[in-house]
Amino acid sequence: MSSLAAVSGSVASIGYGLAAIGPGIGVGLIFGNGVQAMARQPEAAGLIRSNMFIGFALTEALALIGIVMPFVYGK
């Protein structure tokens, strides 16, 4: 029985590792495209920057949910 508990704990860790891939890619895309947009239209940099940080916050919220879920559903 103790080996089953060890397996379920490592499955939760693997699950979070997989869940962190999406937000990591999302943050890279948000900031990469934000910098590119500011380079193309410098006059809109303030609006682009604020939208970029809102998108960053929403994307990071997904990562935080991924951290919490193994603890919520774990036993």
Side-chain angles (χ1 to χ4, degrees), residues 9-26:
S10 58
V11 169
S13 300
I14 291 170
Y16 172 67
L18 292 174
I21 292 172
I25 292 171

Side-chain angles (χ1 to χ4, degrees), residues 10-45:
S10 58
V11 169
S13 300
I14 291 170
Y16 172 67
L18 292 174
I21 292 172
I25 292 171
V27 167
L29 288 174
I30 288 169
F31 281 103
N33 289 331
V35 169
Q36 185 178 18
M38 283 188 266
R40 289 176 184 247
Q41 289 186 322
E43 66 275 3

Side-chain angles (χ1 to χ4, degrees), residues 15-67:
Y16 172 67
L18 292 174
I21 292 172
I25 292 171
V27 167
L29 288 174
I30 288 169
F31 281 103
N33 289 331
V35 169
Q36 185 178 18
M38 283 188 266
R40 289 176 184 247
Q41 289 186 322
E43 66 275 3
L47 179 65
I48 294 168
R49 187 178 300 117
S50 64
N51 287 336
M52 186 172 64
F53 284 125
I54 290 170
F56 170 73
L58 293 174
T59 305
E60 281 300 314
L62 293 175
L64 293 175
I65 290 170
I67 289 174

